[in-house]
Amino acid sequence: MFSREARAELLAEADPDALIALADQCLADGAPVRVLTAPEVGCVAAQVIDPVAAERFLLGDVLACRAEVELAGHRGWAMRLGDDRAAVLAAAVLDAEVQAGRAGAAAVDELCRRTQQARAAEDDREWAELAPTVVEFEELT
């Protein structure tokens, strides 16, 4: 089981087609759903932390889309980079599915696990590409 913050982060990175398919599956039982905030596209400030000085600084503005829904009396919220309104709405539905403790919660966790594994595999690929460029210095005694 993922924390809500971790789930939101992973749903923001998940494959859009997988998000939409799973949200459709979760809504197939006819549970009442209400869109509280229709998908909105806007800019948000991206911040990073300098790894040496441990200070935050603004990297720039990025395009993002957010949405909020209510499913079976529970609220779900999502934000994704870009302007894919359908994907962000699906992610909000999936967040609400878990918040409500409905039957699809396990499938949402599985999607998050797959996304987490894909992220780790991509990180491994990036590090493998960088490995030949690492410079190792001999220690002088």
Side-chain angles (χ1 to χ4, degrees), residues 1-3 6-7 10-11 13-15 18-19 22 25-26 94-95 97-98 102-119:
M1 176 123 180
F2 294 93
S3 69
R7 184 174 53 254
L10 292 166
L11 290 176
E13 290 183 33
D15 175 63
L19 281 173
L22 185 54
Q25 196 175 10
C26 290
L94 297 180
D95 181 49
E97 181 81 7
V98 174
R102 291 171 31 91
V108 175
D109 281 346
E110 179 56 32
L111 175 60
C112 288
R113 266 190 289 287
R114 288 194 317 263
T115 303
Q116 192 175 47
Q117 290 168 349
R119 178 200 289 168

Side-chain angles (χ1 to χ4, degrees), residues 4-77:
R4 190 165 194 197
E5 292 80 13
R7 184 174 53 254
E9 180 181 339
L10 292 166
L11 290 176
E13 290 183 33
D15 175 63
D17 294 332
L19 281 173
I20 294 167
L22 185 54
D24 286 345
Q25 196 175 10
C26 290
L27 295 175
D29 67 357
V33 64
R34 189 169 59 122
V35 177
L36 301 174
T37 304
E40 296 178 328
V41 177
C43 287
V44 294
Q47 292 184 29
V48 294
I49 298 176
D50 181 298
V52 177
E55 294 177 354
R56 292 180 182 260
F57 65 92
L58 291 178
L59 189 60
D61 291 334
V62 294
L63 190 65
C65 189
R66 73 178 180 106
E68 186 175 4
V69 301
E70 184 177 271
L71 175 65
H74 291 82
R75 288 182 172 215
W77 178 89

